[in-house]
């Protein structure tokens, strides 16, 4: 298989003074496909695109690249084609590791179109040129990163606001880097701070806001055409204020007019790794304040007086994975030291209204046991899916060999009929047979040739369909199976097992739960793969 690798980062302008040709995904795709058609030894190969749109080239932790790499290690992808070296990567050390060590070891052919580089046809004289280009790309990326960081630092020092502004503000279109107060939204913010200054806790504030039908931030933004993400819950009739939403408002010092510079910074320019800034720069009175400084700090007192549960930091298997089947919100977790820990829907307490959610309190031990029982069944299903993929792979290659043999037989017959047709034409030209006999034989041979051509087309269609049934995510399936073997002797649900296999647990009541597993679509496809192959082969 040929892997066409395409990458576009946010830092890539479509065109600038340094680039004469656009690096857009569409342009890269067109260039790679056109080049592929010029290679007679590769153009008939199966191809797959691997696209990382919006990922930096300074490291190789990109989803599409990692998926391609897994297929390379499985010897599924044997050739990689890129537009140029910079699309492959800008870290010259890691690029060299791939091009000079890993790819040659695995027998992977690497082609860079714009650099006129093909590892399958190059001699050693060009290795220095390749190394120099990778070094230049790496330094160009680091230099660009430094310039971007320097520009952003200058904006921070001036207190310019170039990020998404918090609820209650909107950007001043007339003065770049400035913000204005949204009076209607600011009333909600002030109301929250006012309640906190009265000493009310987060849960009490959320109840009051919900009882007063105050729109949530997401709901307000939709009603006022403010861009931003909105979860399915926020779109439903169950959107409500929660402790977390109230906390996010009260903890944001931006509302007091204070500008806080970046809280994290890059370790090395051009690298993604960041560290926390211990003492971020603050600029007080930088922009219009919704609440004064005294009010802001008085509201923070509710966090200092809060009683801390000694077990509040305890990890439990289904943390952040249990949701109410009625309203869709995450269920609250009561960590009781003496009695059973419980899951329950907090909507009635949060909103003050009965919105139809179950009032059952589900013991953690009981829920864990149910999930564990179903997980064991899921593991068995996963094992069956892996067996199906292996069986499908065997049938696929048997089918491809059969189709290839049939195609070769038909090609032989096709050539023989064409030769026979030519012989009749020569006999007719030499006067050995009359026109009527020639026309009759020509018609019969043409019909046979057309019939064989139709059969060949059908075989090619079957071959194409058969290749498309290949499960390209088999490496992910194999990784899941490794985890199954790792946990097969466990006797109860653990945090690691839940992290690996469980996506979500939806609770309708204590008797009815629904579990969403990770990679469900992958397993479902794997279960059907053998049948799809058999249907095509016939």
């Amino acid at each position: 298989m040929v892997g066409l690798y395409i990458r576009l980062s946010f830092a890539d302008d479509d065109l600038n003074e340094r680039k004469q040709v656009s690096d857009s995904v569409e342009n890269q795709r067109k260039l790679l496909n056109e080049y592929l058609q010029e290679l007679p030894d590769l153009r008939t190969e199966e191809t797959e695109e691997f696209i990382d749109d919006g990922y930096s080239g300074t490291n190789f932790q990109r989803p599409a690249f990692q998926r391609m790499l897994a297929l390379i290690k499985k010897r599924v992808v044997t050739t990689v084609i890129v537009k140029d070296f910079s699309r492959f990567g800008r870290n010259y050390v890691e690029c060299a590791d791939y091009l000079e060590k890993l790819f040659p070891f695995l027998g992977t052919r690497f082609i860079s179109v714009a650099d006129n580089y093909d590892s399958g046809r190059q001699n050693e004289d060009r290795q220095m040129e390749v190394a120099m280009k990778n070094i230049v790309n790496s330094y160009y990326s680091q230099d660009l990163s430094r310039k971007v960081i320097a520009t952003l630092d200058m904006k921070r020092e001036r207190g310019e606001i170039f990020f998404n502004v918090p609820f209650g503000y909107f950007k001043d279109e007339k003065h770049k880097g400035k913000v204005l107060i949204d009076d209607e939204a600011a009333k909600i913010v002030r109301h929250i701070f006012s309640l906190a200054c009265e000493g009310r806790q987060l849960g009490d504030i959320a109840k009051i806001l919900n009882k007063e039908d105050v729109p949530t931030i997401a709901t307000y933004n939709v009603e006022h055409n403010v861009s931003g993400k909105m979860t399915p819950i926020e779109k439903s009739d169950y959107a409500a204020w929660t402790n977390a939403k109230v906390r996010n408002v009260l903890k944001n010092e931006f509302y007091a007019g204070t500008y806080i510079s970046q809280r994290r910074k890059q370790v090395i320019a051009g690298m993604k790794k960041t560290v926390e800034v211990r003492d971020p720069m603050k600029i007080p009175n930088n922009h219009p304040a919704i609440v004064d400084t005294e009010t802001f700090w008085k509201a923070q007192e509710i966090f200092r007086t809060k009683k801390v549960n000694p077990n509040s930091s305890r990890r439990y298997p289904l943390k952040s994975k249990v949701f109410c089947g009625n309203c869709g919100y995450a269920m609250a977790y009561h960590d009781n030291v003496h009695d059973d820990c419980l899951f329950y829907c907090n909507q009635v307490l949060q909103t003050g209204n009965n919105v139809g959610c179950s009032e059952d309190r589900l013991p953690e031990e009981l829920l864990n046991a149910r999930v564990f029982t179903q997980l064991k069944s899921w593991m068995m299903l996963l094992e069956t899916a892996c067996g199906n993929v292996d069986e499908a792979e065997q049938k696929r290659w048997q089918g491809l060999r059969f189709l290839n043999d049939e195609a070769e037989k038909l090609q032989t017959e096709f050539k023989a009929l064409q030769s026979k047709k030519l012989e009749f034409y020569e006999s007719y030209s030499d006067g050995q047979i009359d026109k009527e006999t020639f026309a009759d034989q020509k018609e019969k041979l043409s019909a046979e040739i057309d019939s064989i051509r139709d059969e060949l087309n059908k075989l090619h269609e079957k071959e194409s369909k058969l290749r498309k049934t290949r499960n390209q995510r088999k490496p992910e399936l194999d990784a899941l199976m490794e985890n199954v073997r790792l946990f097969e002797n466990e006797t109860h649900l653990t945090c690691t097992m839940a992290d690996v296999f469980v996506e979500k647990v939806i609770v309708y009541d204590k008797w009815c739960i629904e579990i969403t597993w990770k990679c469900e679509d992958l397993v479902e496809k794997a279960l059907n793969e053998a049948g799809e192959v058999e249907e095509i082969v016939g």
Side-chain angles (χ1 to χ4, degrees):
M1 177 190 288
V2 178
L4 305 180
Y5 184 69
I6 297 169
R7 183 185 67 81
L8 187 70
S9 76
F10 290 125
D12 288 315
D13 294 326
D14 194 36
L15 285 173
N16 58 36
E17 66 274 10
R18 297 190 61 165
K19 293 194 296 184
Q20 301 301 318
V21 181
S22 170
D23 278 333
S24 70
V25 170
E26 191 56 44
N27 274 10
Q28 291 184 61
R29 176 186 288 121
K30 183 179 178 183
L31 177 72
L32 298 185
N33 280 292
E34 287 179 353
Y35 184 81
L36 186 62
Q37 294 307 309
E38 297 175 5
L39 301 175
D41 56 331
L42 292 179
R43 63 187 172 203
T44 57
E45 289 281 323
E46 183 183 358
T47 63
E48 182 171 351
E49 290 181 352
F50 300 89
I51 302 173
D52 281 316
D53 196 353
Y55 289 88
S56 170
T58 55
N59 67 77
F60 287 88
Q61 299 307 311
R62 315 168 211 145
F65 181 85
Q66 289 299 318
R67 185 164 62 88
M68 180 178 73
L69 184 60
L71 294 175
I72 289 171
K73 290 178 179 179
K74 293 284 184 180
R75 306 298 202 278
V76 176
V77 172
T78 55
T79 303
V80 175
I81 305 180
V82 298
K83 174 183 174 287
D84 54 47
F85 288 123
S86 68
R87 296 303 96 200
F88 182 68
R90 292 189 183 274
N91 184 317
Y92 74 91
V93 175
E94 289 192 73
C95 280
D97 283 340
Y98 283 109
L99 299 183
E100 297 174 16
K101 296 178 182 179
L102 183 63
F103 286 180
F105 174 75
L106 295 173
T108 305
R109 182 177 173 185
F110 181 83
I111 299 173
S112 176
V113 178
D115 299 299
N116 194 27
Y117 176 84
D118 185 342
S119 66
R121 298 175 181 174
Q122 297 298 328
N123 54 40
E124 295 182 359
D125 296 337
R126 293 210 61 197
Q127 295 304 315
M128 181 61 71
E129 179 186 343
V130 172
M132 289 304 297
K133 282 190 175 183
N134 283 330
I135 291 173
V136 169
N137 285 330
S138 179
Y139 275 101
Y140 167 70
S141 180
Q142 289 186 31
D143 181 57
L144 179 63
S145 181
R146 289 190 189 97
K147 289 177 180 177
V148 171
I149 291 172
T151 302
L152 295 179
D153 285 343
M154 288 175 60
K155 289 184 176 182
R156 291 187 185 99
E157 289 173 5
R158 293 196 295 263
E160 290 187 23
I161 299 165
F162 51 88
F163 43 80
N164 290 333
V165 296
F167 174 68
Y169 290 95
F170 61 88
K171 290 186 177 180
D172 188 346
E173 296 181 357
K174 296 180 180 178
H175 303 90
K176 193 173 182 179
K178 302 294 182 181
V179 295
L180 298 173
I181 293 177
D182 180 345
D183 293 331
E184 190 175 347
K187 289 179 182 178
I188 299 174
V189 175
R190 291 191 186 104
H191 187 32
I192 292 172
F193 274 94
S194 174
L195 292 170
C197 288
E198 292 175 8
R200 297 180 186 273
Q201 297 301 307
L202 297 177
D204 297 328
I205 296 173
K207 289 179 193 175
I208 293 171
L209 295 175
N210 290 320
K211 190 173 182 180
E212 294 175 351
D213 290 328
V214 176
T216 63
I217 294 174
T219 304
Y220 179 91
N221 288 341
V222 169
E223 291 174 353
H224 293 78
N225 296 318
V226 179
S227 61
K229 293 182 179 179
M230 192 177 190
T231 63
I233 297 175
E234 293 291 349
K235 295 177 184 178
S236 71
D237 297 332
Y238 304 111
W241 285 94
T242 62
N243 294 12
K245 292 174 184 176
V246 175
R247 182 188 292 107
N248 289 339
V249 172
L250 293 173
K251 284 286 187 180
N252 197 340
E253 202 171 342
F254 195 92
Y255 290 121
T258 301
Y259 181 99
I260 302 178
S261 68
Q262 63 183 135
R263 299 178 186 273
R264 301 188 68 84
K265 67 177 182 179
Q266 289 179 323
V267 178
I268 302 174
M271 298 296 179
K272 278 194 171 182
K273 186 175 180 181
T274 61
V275 293
E276 188 174 352
V277 178
R278 291 184 179 180
D279 189 19
M281 181 185 68
K282 293 186 178 183
I283 305 176
N285 303 318
N286 178 73
H287 51 269
I290 291 180
V291 297
D292 57 58
T293 306
E294 184 181 350
T295 300
F296 177 82
W297 289 111
K298 186 177 180 181
Q300 304 309 302
E301 292 178 5
I302 66 169
F303 299 107
R304 299 191 191 98
T305 58
K306 185 178 179 181
K307 294 181 180 179
V308 179
N309 186 335
N311 292 330
S312 60
S313 60
R314 183 181 75 85
R315 273 202 79 198
Y316 51 94
L318 297 176
K319 185 174 184 178
S320 304
K321 294 180 182 292
V322 184
F323 296 83
C324 174
N326 180 63
C327 66
Y329 274 97
M331 296 185 74
Y333 178 76
H334 180 63
D335 191 354
N336 198 322
V337 179
H338 305 291
D339 301 320
D340 290 337
C341 299
L342 303 167
F343 286 99
Y344 61 95
C345 183
N346 202 27
Q347 270 295 87
V348 176
L349 296 175
Q350 292 278 358
T351 62
N353 299 316
N354 189 341
V355 291
C357 301
S358 172
E359 297 182 9
D360 290 340
R361 292 177 173 259
L362 194 60
E364 180 189 13
E365 188 176 342
L366 175 62
L367 186 59
N368 286 353
R370 289 186 181 176
V371 172
F372 180 75
T373 301
Q374 292 194 34
L375 178 56
K376 283 294 184 181
S377 300
W378 168 252
M379 287 179 172
M380 292 174 64
L381 190 66
L382 189 56
E383 194 167 356
T384 303
C386 283
N388 274 27
V389 169
D390 293 337
E391 181 186 349
E393 187 69 9
Q394 187 177 359
K395 286 184 177 180
R396 183 182 295 108
W397 288 114
Q398 289 175 350
L400 288 172
R401 282 197 294 270
F402 171 76
L403 293 174
N404 185 59
D405 292 343
E406 289 296 305
E408 285 183 1
K409 291 178 185 177
L410 289 173
Q411 287 284 6
T412 302
E413 290 182 35
F414 186 80
K415 290 176 182 177
L417 289 170
Q418 284 186 318
S419 297
K420 197 171 182 181
K421 189 175 179 181
L422 181 61
E423 288 174 7
F424 272 110
Y425 177 74
E426 290 174 349
S427 298
Y428 170 66
S429 298
D430 294 340
Q432 296 178 13
I433 58 174
D434 56 36
K435 184 178 181 180
E436 186 177 348
T437 303
F438 169 68
D440 184 52
Q441 292 298 325
K442 179 186 175 183
E443 186 178 353
K444 289 180 180 178
L445 289 172
S446 295
E448 289 183 46
I449 289 171
D450 288 342
S451 175
I452 290 177
R453 187 179 285 113
D454 289 340
E455 288 297 317
L456 281 169
N457 287 336
K458 289 177 182 178
L459 287 178
H460 288 316
E461 286 178 11
K462 279 189 175 184
E463 181 186 8
S464 177
K465 287 180 181 178
L466 207 53
R467 290 186 183 278
K468 287 179 181 178
T469 59
R470 177 193 291 274
N471 192 331
Q472 304 294 351
R473 295 172 67 187
K474 189 176 185 300
E476 296 176 50
L477 203 61
D478 290 340
L480 277 174
M481 268 311 298
E482 288 178 11
N483 286 321
V484 169
R485 296 186 187 97
L486 185 66
F487 300 123
E488 62 185 357
N489 294 324
E490 293 287 354
T491 57
H492 62 281
L493 186 69
T494 65
C495 293
T496 310
M497 289 174 71
D499 289 342
V500 171
F501 295 108
V502 181
E503 183 71 38
K504 182 187 288 190
V505 179
I506 302 172
V507 178
Y508 295 95
D509 56 48
K510 65 168 60 176
W511 307 111
C512 182
I513 67 169
E514 178 184 316
I515 304 173
T516 303
W517 308 105
K518 291 184 177 179
C519 300
E520 272 190 359
D521 57 333
L522 170 65
V523 175
E524 184 178 351
K525 186 179 185 302
L527 287 169
N528 298 326
E529 191 170 343
E532 291 175 4
V533 172
E534 194 168 348
E535 185 179 346
I536 293 169
V537 176

